[in-house]
Amino acid sequence: MRHRSLLILTAVLTTGALTLTACGSRDEGSKDSGDKGGKTTVVIGVDAPLTGSLSALGQGIKNSVDLAAKTANKNNEVPGIEFKIEALDDQAVPASGQANATKLVGNPDVLGAVGPLNSGVAQSMQGVFDKANLTQVSPANTNPALSQGDNWGKGDPKRVFKTYFRTCATDVVQGKFAAQYLYNDAKKKKVYVVDDKQTYGAGLAAIFSAEFERLGGKVIGTDHVTVKETDFSSTADKVKSSGADSVYYGGQYPEGGLLSDQIKKTGAKIPTMGGDGIYDPAFISASGEANDGDLATSIGYPVEALPTAKKFIEDYKAGGYKDPYAAYGGYSYDAAWSIIQAIKTVVADNDGKLPEDARAKVTEAMSKVSFDGVTGKVSFDEFGDTTNKQLTVYEVQKGAWKDVKSATFED
């Protein structure tokens, strides 16, 4: 595995799978601007949890992709092409994600898909998209195996699916970053590690634990919780009796917020830290106990502080979307925009019209995409991973998340 060195910034920044056959709604031989209305319809699929406990994140993903499509249409970004989105709800369930991937593959107008949120859901979708040469770009998946294969941790990374890309950094970076902050900056030496047994949570907790112990810290206990349960008193009691000075939780905010609350109710006034899965206002509101001091890492820098995100924020507000763009809005916009840029290249290389093998050509063009996006420079490495490895630590202060440190990793 390639060595990654952490460069801490001196200043805190506050920041488908479808084989495009001859044509769906496009008539054979008429994929140019001679189509109805002078435009050819291209659909960008979206898969995310649009209902359920993670819907706050899913709606932000959907809306941000919608904004990218509307912006491309307004600016005539790809002459002769009119972009639309098709958003499907996976409810954070792998089987639903797989069914959605199959549905998107079956629509010949879909030339790319953004999503999903959850790494476990992504595992069920990748093969479907890959067989159909349909580009998939996740704004939120952080499990390294999705892009580098199951042996990445043994120093043998291998790209398994040529159609899979992501605009967010992986847990290799996030887990190490969290461990380094907790040990070096927060000065915690004895951590109790809990995870939710899911692909994302368990993987992140394992990477965190290895780095924390490498630094000289001690993992003095481990436990697991079950998604959608609400009583974590047994785990909270174990944390209290262990003498831990901190807790690391690998999982999402619905369970994470309750876990933090129940740990503090035992009298253990210690911080709970987690990854981007807990970085949401709902983590704070789920706790009846004040949880100031709790910590979370999240991919990227605070969007609100990025000069590159100013127009995105203004346009999102002007778009009148009911839900906020949330943690992954900027990454979702950039994911959609990368698909749009790949399509732009494919159309330009084919005399201003879509080729018959558009999906395969779009996937090929994705590897060369490079532009200045909402979240910074957007491009992909040989595994389809983002080259922009930025992270931020947030702390709960006076009942709200406040960024306390930002960093970038370089190979």
Side-chain angles (χ1 to χ4, degrees):
M1 188 168 63
R2 293 173 299 172
H3 175 70
R4 304 175 188 271
S5 60
L6 176 63
L7 303 178
I8 300 296
L9 297 183
T10 56
V12 175
L13 295 178
T14 344
T15 48
L18 346 153
T19 320
L20 184 61
T21 60
C23 308
S25 64
R26 295 186 289 275
D27 296 331
E28 181 80 37
S30 62
K31 298 191 186 82
D32 57 15
S33 57
D35 268 355
K36 23 181 170 172
K39 297 279 187 178
T40 297
T41 297
V42 168
V43 176
I44 298 175
V46 182
D47 176 87
L50 303 179
T51 59
S53 62
L54 298 177
S55 62
L57 299 175
Q59 290 293 338
I61 292 172
K62 180 195 74 173
N63 294 342
S64 299
V65 175
D66 181 69
L67 179 59
K70 288 177 177 175
T71 301
N73 293 337
K74 179 181 177 181
N75 298 343
N76 196 28
E77 186 70 20
V78 185
I81 300 295
E82 180 81 9
F83 290 98
K84 294 183 178 180
I85 74 165
E86 181 177 357
L88 302 177
D89 181 12
D90 63 30
Q91 297 181 310
V93 176
S96 297
Q98 186 175 63
N100 291 346
T102 300
K103 183 175 181 180
L104 292 173
V105 164
N107 180 351
D109 290 336
V110 178
L111 294 188
V114 175
L117 169 71
N118 305 88
S119 292
V121 175
Q123 288 178 321
S124 73
M125 304 175 75
Q126 288 179 300
V128 178
F129 285 139
D130 195 68
K131 287 178 183 177
N133 275 324
L134 185 62
T135 292
Q136 171 189 12
V137 189
S138 174
N141 296 161
T142 54
N143 188 286
L146 295 172
S147 56
Q148 299 186 29
D150 291 335
N151 292 325
W152 68 268
K154 300 177 182 177
D156 184 25
K158 180 181 179 182
R159 188 169 190 180
V160 183
F161 300 105
K162 65 184 179 300
T163 54
Y164 182 81
F165 301 83
R166 54 178 144 202
T167 53
C168 62
T170 72
D171 289 334
V172 173
V173 178
Q174 184 174 200
K176 290 183 177 181
F177 183 43
Q180 290 173 15
Y181 183 87
L182 194 64
Y183 185 85
N184 293 325
D185 296 81
K187 307 299 183 185
K188 303 301 182 183
K189 309 302 179 187
K190 299 184 296 181
V191 66
Y192 198 102
V193 178
V194 183
D195 70 67
D196 64 359
K197 299 178 284 190
Q198 302 298 300
T199 301
Y200 161 76
L204 181 59
I207 294 168
F208 166 87
S209 297
E211 179 68 2
F212 193 79
E213 291 188 321
R214 186 192 72 79
L215 292 168
K218 186 175 181 181
V219 176
I220 63 172
T222 61
D223 203 2
H224 311 281
V225 299
T226 301
V227 172
K228 295 186 179 178
E229 286 194 357
T230 58
D231 183 2
F232 307 126
S233 56
S234 174
T235 297
D237 289 338
K238 292 176 186 176
V239 171
K240 167 68 173 174
S241 62
S242 73
D245 60 16
S246 54
V247 175
Y248 187 82
Y249 175 64
Q252 306 286 350
Y253 62 80
E255 294 76 28
L258 292 174
L259 178 64
S260 173
D261 176 67
Q262 291 170 32
I263 288 172
K264 288 172 176 58
K265 283 177 177 174
T266 67
K269 304 301 183 183
I270 59 176
T272 295
M273 187 179 199
D276 55 318
I278 73 166
Y279 175 56
D280 191 276
F283 171 86
I284 300 171
S285 61
S287 178
E289 294 287 310
N291 53 2
D292 281 13
D294 282 355
L295 300 160
T297 53
S298 188
I299 54 175
Y301 299 151
V303 171
E304 294 76 12
L306 288 172
T308 52
K310 184 177 179 181
K311 190 173 189 310
F312 164 74
I313 294 170
E314 292 174 349
D315 290 348
Y316 193 96
K317 183 177 181 180
Y321 297 107
K322 182 180 69 173
D323 299 286
Y325 50 79
Y328 304 105
Y331 294 91
S332 301
Y333 186 99
D334 284 347
W337 202 254
S338 68
I339 294 170
I340 291 167
Q341 292 306 302
I343 293 170
K344 184 177 182 178
T345 296
V346 169
V347 169
D349 289 347
N350 194 54
D351 299 324
K353 58 186 178 181
L354 288 170
E356 293 298 324
D357 58 345
R359 286 181 177 171
K361 286 290 196 297
V362 168
T363 294
E364 182 181 341
M366 283 292 296
S367 64
K368 300 172 185 175
V369 161
S370 180
F371 62 92
D372 293 322
V374 172
T375 59
K377 189 72 173 181
V378 178
S379 60
F380 306 100
D381 65 16
E382 68 269 33
F383 301 106
D385 287 333
T386 179
T387 58
N388 186 1
K389 299 175 175 67
Q390 302 170 335
L391 297 105
T392 297
V393 174
Y394 295 86
E395 182 179 8
V396 180
Q397 297 180 5
K398 297 180 180 178
W401 289 112
K402 171 72 174 176
D403 58 292
V404 293
K405 192 169 206 174
S406 296
T408 183
F409 277 75
E410 292 185 356
D411 291 334

